[in-house]
């Protein structure tokens, strides 16, 4: 078998990989950095503006100061140790509720109003007495009294409303909160005054301690009064209950203490025990009599078993004699046989002794029978006594139940009395001590620095906020941007080759290092100074050979030469149409620069203005363009008109053919297209390149006819201005095939911004 090389099996992509695309984190980060760098000016302006706003706030805001103090809440204060021990299962919950309750007390109307009064805020709130404390309250001309006319209210009501308004103004700077899960409450006050903030905290704490102490004392006094009444009432009840128990015990002769047996119960228990003992003895004696009788009747004295205490001395003597006779019989059998006289005499003696033993057993049985009868009589008597005792015990038991009920009632009243008496004593002791549950662990002191505005934090947060907003705007701008920005957008959106860029001439001029290379460039520049500014831009590529525009023209010339090489002699030149999707894309300037650039490099070039609607090229050159170079005249007889073409002094080597705008019913039509086609054929025979300035694709129906007259097309797209969908829809609406286009180039490109989007694509040789 031949070995076959097999390719290593690749793991099937997981479902997660098929749903979630792979993300290059480095590329994402680089793209994000490039987006930020492209909008660095927006970022700098936003951050600088935010910092300026923060600094303005810091410089203009009124500084405020915060003083703080701390109070420790002890939930066990005011409680006895016994009550604390009983509340241990719910201690944590009760403690938390106690601290939360004290928080509400600290911010209550009573405490805050008392603190405001001690601080003199009610007097300071009078309009006739402006003071520092009044400034602490803020601007309160009407004290927050609302829209109702104050004069219609009663004086008491107006005073209450004013007092409440001042109190609310005072509490604006107050903050009371629990320190985590501890029993500590932090009290802070913020105001423009350093000393006032500390004084406000300390005054509030003092008022809280005072109110809390009064509340605790009042509560303890109310509790003590109630306990005194209950103790007196329960004392009388306990005395009455104990007296009832004593009288009932005496009347019913129930003198046994609680927990001990009654005499009738003791006698009944003894009778029960005696009956059980007698019945046991009687039963054992009956069994013994029955066994003894059966053994006597059988005559088998060896099987008779008697307890030692029942045996008699005669029985022991007879059994000893019988044992000796048996031993003597064994000895004689060794010498004599059973028929011998000696053996016969011995047998008679054994029989007599056996009879004596049986008689003795009979006497013992009679004695046991007499004892059994006596036991039966005693059992009967004991049962009769037990019945009498049971009747007596039942009566005593009923009386005992009533006695125990009276004793329990008396004991319950006694325990309640003792517990309330202890509570009364504890409450009396609490009144002699500090009964408040709060303890100050830190009084407020004047703060050594302002709490707001915090200059560094405000500036840092402002800068950070400006940075975040700027980044958000940058990414939002990038997300909604649908303009041509990158070189890759051209093949991705339009399916065309990217040919290069034509920058804005101002930025390109700053980038160029030399004004001109050829000796005649200076003369052309001096001659162009008298031309309009728009006309000067037509010769930019030829005048600035080190510019990006000139490099793009050189690249376009090389690509055309490679794509359409000249074959045999006699083959005509190339007709190149330059168009755009809409107006103001820079196609006319680009077309003329390309034609002039080729002419400056020694190529024979003609440029034809076929923008039949606007004729921007002709209008720009109207001061220097002769009448003989107009397209309608040239189309009448192209061969005859060729020698009459007048060269333009500012553009040597370049034949410029202008046009007349077509308006209304004289619009460009199919017959005109045929005449123009014949004219372009003549120009093709005399020039190496024929550059045609075509109308835009959108909004001009004639463009579909004119593009058929060109060998290839170049699409001009204004960088950063024309939406992608607009250019793509122009190509779709005219049904133009992509192979008709040589490619597309960007026009009017600001170089610095362009480099931000195409940083890896820009490579200037002359830079």
């Amino acid at each position: 078998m031949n070995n076959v090389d097999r390719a290593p099996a690749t793991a099937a992509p997981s479902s997660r990989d098929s749903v979630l695309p792979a993300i290059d984190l480095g590329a994402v980060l680089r793209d994000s950095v490039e987006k930020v760098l492209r909008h660095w000016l927006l970022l700098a302006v936003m951050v600088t503006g935010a910092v300026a706003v923060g600094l303005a706030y810091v410089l203009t805001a009124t500084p405020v100061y915060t003083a703080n103090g701390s109070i420790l809440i002890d939930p066990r204060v005011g409680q006895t140790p016994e009550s604390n021990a009983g509340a241990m299962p719910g201690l944590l919950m009760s403690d938390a509720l106690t601290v939360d309750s004290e928080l509400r007390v600290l911010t209550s109307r009573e405490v805050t109003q008392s603190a405001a009064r001690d601080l003199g805020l009610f007097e300071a709130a009078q309009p006739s007495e402006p003071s520092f404390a009044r400034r602490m309250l803020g601007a309160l001309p009407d004290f927050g009294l609302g829209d109702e006319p104050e004069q219609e209210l009663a004086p008491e009501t107006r005073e209450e409303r004013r007092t409440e308004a001042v109190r609310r103004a005072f509490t604006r700077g107050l903050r009371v909160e629990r320190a985590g899960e501890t029993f500590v409450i932090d009290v802070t006050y913020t105001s423009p005054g350093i000393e006032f903030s500390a004084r406000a905290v300390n005054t509030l704490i003092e008022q809280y301690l005072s109110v809390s102490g009064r509340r605790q004392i009042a509560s303890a006094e109310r509790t003590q009064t109630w306990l005194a009444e209950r103790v007196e009432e329960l004392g009388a009840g306990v005395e009455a209950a104990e007296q009832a128990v004593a009288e009932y015990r005496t009347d019913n002769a129930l003198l046994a203490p609680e927990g001990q047996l009654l005499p009738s119960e003791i006698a009944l228990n003894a009778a029960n025990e005696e009956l059980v003992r007698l019945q046991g003895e009687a039963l054992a004696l009956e069994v013994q009599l029955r066994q003894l009788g059966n053994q006597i009747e059988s005559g088998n004295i060896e099987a008779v078993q008697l307890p030692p205490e029942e045996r008699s001395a005669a029985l022991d003597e007879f059994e000893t004699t019988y044992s000796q006779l048996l031993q003597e019989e064994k000895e004689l059998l060794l010498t004599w046989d059973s028929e011998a006289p000696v053996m016969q005499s011995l047998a008679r003696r054994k029989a007599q002794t056996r009879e004596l033993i049986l008689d003795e057993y009979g006497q013992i049985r009679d004695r046991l029978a007499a004892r059994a009868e006596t036991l039966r009589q005693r059992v009967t008597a004991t049962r009769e006594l037990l019945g009498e005792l049971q009747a007596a015990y039942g009566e005593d038991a009923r009386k005992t139940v009533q006695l125990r009920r009276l004793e329990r009632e008396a004991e319950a009243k006694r325990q309640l009395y003792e517990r309330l008496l202890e509570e009364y004593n504890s409450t009396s002791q609490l009144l002699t001590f500090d009964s408040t549950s709060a303890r100050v662990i830190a009084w407020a002191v004047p703060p050594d620095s302002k709490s707001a505005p915090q200059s560094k934090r405000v500036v840092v947060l402002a800068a950070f906020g400006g940075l975040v907003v700027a980044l958000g705007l940058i990414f939002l701008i990038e997300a909604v941007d649908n303009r041509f920005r990158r070189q890759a957008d051209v093949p991705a959106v339009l399916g065309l080759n990217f040919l290069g860029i034509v920058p804005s001439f101002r930025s390109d001029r700053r980038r160029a290092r030399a004004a001109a290379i050829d000796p005649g460039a200076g003369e052309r520049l001096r001659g162009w100074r008298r031309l309009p500014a728009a006309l000067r831009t037509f010769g930019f590529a030829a005048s600035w050979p080190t510019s990006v525009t000139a490099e793009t023209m050189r690249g376009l010339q090389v690509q055309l030469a490679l794509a359409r090489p000249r074959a045999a002699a006699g083959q005509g030149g190339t007709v190149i149409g330059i168009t755009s999707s809409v107006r103001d894309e820079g196609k006319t300037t680009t077309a003329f620069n390309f034609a002039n650039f080729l002419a400056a490099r020694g190529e024979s070039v003609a440029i034809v203005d076929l923008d039949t609607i606007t004729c921007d090229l002709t209008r720009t050159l109207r001061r220097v363009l002769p009448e003989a170079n107009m397209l309608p005249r040239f189309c009448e007889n192209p061969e005859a008109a060729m020698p009459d073409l007048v060269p333009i002094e500012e553009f040597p080597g370049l034949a410029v053919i202008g046009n007349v705008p077509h308006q209304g019913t004289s619009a460009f039509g199919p017959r005109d297209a045929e005449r123009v086609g014949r004219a372009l054929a003549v120009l093709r025979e005399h020039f190496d390149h024929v550059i045609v300035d075509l109308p835009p694709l959108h909004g001009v129906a004639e463009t579909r006819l004119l593009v058929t007259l060109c060998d290839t097309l170049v699409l001009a797209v204004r960088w950063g201005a024309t939406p992608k969908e607009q250019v793509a829809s122009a190509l779709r609406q005219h049904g133009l095939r992509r192979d008709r286009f040589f490619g597309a180039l960007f026009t009017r490109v600001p170089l610095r911004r362009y480099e931000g989007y195409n940083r890896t694509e820009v490579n200037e040789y002359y830079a």
Side-chain angles (χ1 to χ4, degrees):
M1 181 180 294
N2 295 331
N3 294 329
V4 180
D5 295 337
R6 296 183 178 179
T10 58
S14 64
S15 59
R16 179 182 65 85
D17 296 334
S18 62
V19 175
L20 300 176
I23 298 177
D24 187 355
L25 183 59
V28 173
L29 292 176
R30 288 192 298 272
D31 182 63
S32 300
V33 172
E34 290 179 359
K35 290 179 180 178
V36 175
L37 292 178
R38 286 196 290 268
H39 301 276
W40 66 269
L41 184 59
L42 174 62
L43 182 66
V45 170
M46 292 293 295
V47 173
T48 304
V51 171
V53 172
L55 289 175
Y57 170 74
V58 169
L59 295 176
T60 58
T62 302
V64 294
Y65 302 86
T66 300
N68 57 68
S70 299
I71 302 174
L72 176 64
I73 304 298
D74 189 357
R76 296 169 297 180
V77 172
Q79 300 180 8
T80 61
E82 293 77 7
S83 61
N84 284 337
M88 283 302 293
L91 182 61
L92 294 179
M93 181 177 295
S94 62
D95 290 352
L97 294 176
T98 301
V99 177
D100 292 339
S101 300
E102 296 304 319
L103 285 173
R104 299 299 299 270
V105 173
L106 267 167
T107 57
S108 64
R109 179 179 286 105
E110 180 182 2
V111 175
T112 54
Q113 185 171 320
S114 300
R117 181 177 292 105
D118 286 357
L119 291 171
L121 298 183
F122 295 119
E123 294 77 10
Q126 297 292 341
S128 60
E129 298 182 9
S131 63
F132 175 76
R134 176 173 171 80
R135 294 196 300 272
M136 296 303 101
L137 299 177
L140 292 174
D142 58 353
F143 305 109
L145 299 181
D147 299 331
E148 297 181 5
E150 189 175 356
Q151 59 273 11
E152 297 180 1
L153 302 176
E156 297 80 4
T157 304
R158 289 201 301 271
E159 181 63 23
E160 291 177 358
R161 286 160 58 84
R162 187 183 68 85
T163 301
E164 179 62 18
V166 173
R167 188 194 68 83
R168 288 200 307 269
F170 168 70
T171 57
R172 290 173 186 169
L174 178 63
R175 184 178 180 183
V176 180
E177 60 183 1
R178 184 178 182 181
E181 299 297 328
T182 65
F183 296 158
V184 176
I185 296 178
D186 292 330
V187 182
T188 61
Y189 195 86
T190 303
S191 72
I194 300 177
E195 296 180 356
F196 183 83
S197 58
R199 192 156 57 92
V201 172
N202 294 334
T203 303
L204 183 71
I205 293 177
E206 290 173 355
Q207 291 300 320
Y208 163 73
L209 295 176
S210 176
V211 171
S212 179
R214 291 197 302 269
R215 183 186 60 183
Q216 294 285 355
I217 291 174
S219 176
E221 289 177 348
R222 289 193 301 271
T223 303
Q224 185 186 34
T225 302
W226 180 83
L227 287 174
E229 296 175 355
R230 290 292 296 161
V231 166
E232 183 178 357
E233 179 182 351
L234 287 174
V238 169
E239 184 178 357
E242 290 180 348
Q243 183 65 31
V245 170
E247 292 177 356
Y248 187 84
R249 187 185 295 274
T250 302
D251 295 342
N252 295 278
L254 299 176
L255 303 179
E258 183 179 1
Q260 296 183 6
L261 298 178
L262 296 172
S264 59
E265 187 177 2
I266 296 174
L268 180 61
N269 292 336
N272 279 326
E273 293 176 358
E274 180 66 16
L275 178 62
V276 171
R277 185 184 66 79
L278 293 176
Q279 288 178 344
E281 291 182 1
L283 180 60
L285 191 57
E286 289 290 340
V287 172
Q288 188 176 5
L289 284 172
R290 190 177 299 108
Q291 291 177 352
L292 184 59
N294 293 334
Q295 293 169 354
I296 292 174
E297 291 178 359
S298 64
N300 187 6
I301 62 175
E302 289 80 3
V304 177
Q305 299 293 332
L306 288 175
E309 63 273 9
E310 300 295 339
R311 300 176 66 87
S312 61
L315 179 61
D316 292 338
E317 182 180 356
F318 293 153
E319 287 181 348
T320 301
T321 302
Y322 188 76
S323 298
Q324 292 175 355
L325 292 176
L326 290 176
Q327 183 64 30
E328 184 178 354
E329 182 181 15
K330 290 178 181 179
E331 293 176 356
L332 291 177
L333 284 174
L334 295 175
T335 307
W336 306 96
D337 57 7
S338 59
E339 299 298 332
V342 176
M343 297 301 297
Q344 292 295 329
S345 176
L346 183 60
R348 286 192 298 271
R349 290 167 55 192
K350 284 176 53 182
Q352 293 175 356
T353 304
R354 183 181 182 86
E355 290 296 332
L356 292 174
I357 291 174
L358 290 174
D359 291 339
E360 191 63 28
Y361 280 155
Q363 295 178 7
I364 292 173
R365 181 184 61 185
D366 295 339
R367 289 197 302 272
L368 291 177
R371 188 187 304 170
E373 182 63 24
T374 302
L375 287 175
R376 283 193 293 270
Q377 293 176 358
R378 292 179 62 185
V379 167
T380 301
T382 303
R383 286 177 177 173
E384 293 175 355
L385 177 61
L386 187 61
E388 296 175 357
L389 292 176
Q390 286 177 346
Y393 174 72
E395 183 65 22
D396 291 343
R398 285 191 296 272
K399 297 177 181 179
T400 304
V401 170
Q402 180 65 18
L403 176 63
R404 297 294 181 260
R405 184 181 65 80
L406 296 175
E407 290 176 344
R408 285 194 301 272
E409 291 178 357
E411 182 63 24
K413 291 181 179 181
R414 184 186 303 109
Q415 292 178 358
L416 181 59
Y417 171 78
E418 293 175 353
R419 184 164 62 252
L420 290 181
L421 184 60
E422 292 178 359
E423 292 289 339
Y424 176 79
N425 295 331
S426 299
T427 305
S428 300
Q429 293 177 1
L430 288 176
L431 291 175
T432 62
F433 298 100
D434 184 9
S435 58
T436 180
S437 60
R439 180 168 60 87
V440 180
I441 58 177
W443 291 97
V445 296
D448 57 353
S449 62
K450 63 180 181 180
S451 58
Q454 298 181 3
S455 303
K456 293 182 179 179
R457 178 178 295 181
V458 170
V459 173
V460 171
L461 290 179
F464 179 75
L467 178 63
V468 171
V469 173
L471 291 177
L473 289 177
I474 289 172
F475 285 104
L476 178 62
I477 292 172
E478 290 285 336
V480 301
D481 186 14
N482 195 27
R483 315 290 176 171
F484 283 93
R485 301 288 187 182
R486 298 175 178 82
Q487 297 181 11
D489 293 342
V490 173
V493 177
L494 304 178
L496 303 179
N497 295 325
F498 180 73
L499 302 178
I501 63 173
V502 178
S504 62
F505 296 133
R506 179 178 298 179
S507 63
D508 202 5
R509 188 182 296 111
R510 287 197 300 264
R511 190 68 64 91
R513 292 294 182 266
I517 295 178
D518 59 304
E523 295 296 332
R524 289 195 299 272
L525 287 174
R526 283 192 295 271
W528 289 347
R529 291 192 183 99
R530 60 184 176 86
L531 299 177
L535 187 57
R536 296 174 194 172
T537 60
F538 281 5
F540 184 85
S543 302
W544 300 89
T546 59
S547 64
V548 176
T549 303
E551 181 61 28
T552 300
M553 300 307 169
R554 281 193 293 271
L556 183 57
Q557 180 186 12
V558 171
Q559 293 182 64
L560 285 171
L562 294 175
R564 298 176 179 273
R566 293 186 179 181
Q571 182 180 3
T574 305
V575 180
I576 306 169
I578 299 180
T579 184
S580 62
S581 60
V582 293
R583 290 190 59 184
D584 200 25
E585 293 282 279
K587 64 177 180 58
T588 301
T589 305
T590 302
F592 202 96
N593 265 279
F594 182 50
N596 187 49
F597 180 81
L598 294 177
R601 294 174 68 89
E603 300 280 348
S604 60
V605 184
I607 182 169
V608 182
D609 185 3
L610 282 185
D611 192 345
T612 59
I613 305 299
T614 60
C615 297
D616 290 335
L617 176 62
T618 304
R619 286 206 305 265
T620 305
L621 297 172
R622 67 181 179 274
R623 294 181 56 181
V624 297
L625 187 63
E627 289 294 332
N629 290 26
M630 300 305 289
L631 182 62
R633 182 177 178 181
F634 184 80
C635 289
E636 293 177 358
N637 191 353
E639 291 292 345
M642 277 296 301
D644 297 334
L645 291 177
V646 180
I648 300 176
E649 179 183 358
E650 288 79 12
F651 305 105
L654 177 62
V656 181
I657 301 176
N659 202 348
V660 178
H662 290 73
Q663 300 294 338
T665 58
S666 61
F668 191 85
R671 291 184 180 181
D672 297 322
E674 294 178 1
R675 295 171 57 219
V676 172
R678 289 193 297 270
L680 292 178
V682 173
L683 293 174
R684 185 198 300 269
E685 295 176 358
H686 293 83
F687 295 96
D688 297 331
H689 301 281
V690 179
I691 309 301
V692 179
D693 182 18
L694 295 172
L697 299 176
H698 263 312
V700 182
E702 293 83 354
T703 307
R704 185 175 300 183
L705 290 173
L706 296 176
V707 296
T708 60
L709 305 177
C710 303
D711 297 330
T712 187
L713 300 173
V714 175
L715 182 65
V717 179
R718 184 175 177 180
W719 185 88
T722 309
K724 298 176 183 178
E725 291 83 358
Q726 190 173 25
V727 181
S729 65
L731 298 180
R732 289 194 303 269
Q733 290 178 9
H734 285 270
L736 298 175
R737 301 193 310 270
R738 299 299 189 270
D739 56 1
R740 290 300 306 272
F741 285 87
F742 188 69
L745 50 80
F746 291 149
T747 61
R748 303 175 69 174
V749 179
L751 287 177
R752 289 186 179 274
R753 294 183 60 192
Y754 180 80
E755 291 175 357
Y757 289 91
N758 302 273
R759 195 172 301 277
T760 60
E761 305 295 338
V762 178
N763 185 12
E764 299 181 50
Y765 179 78
Y766 297 105

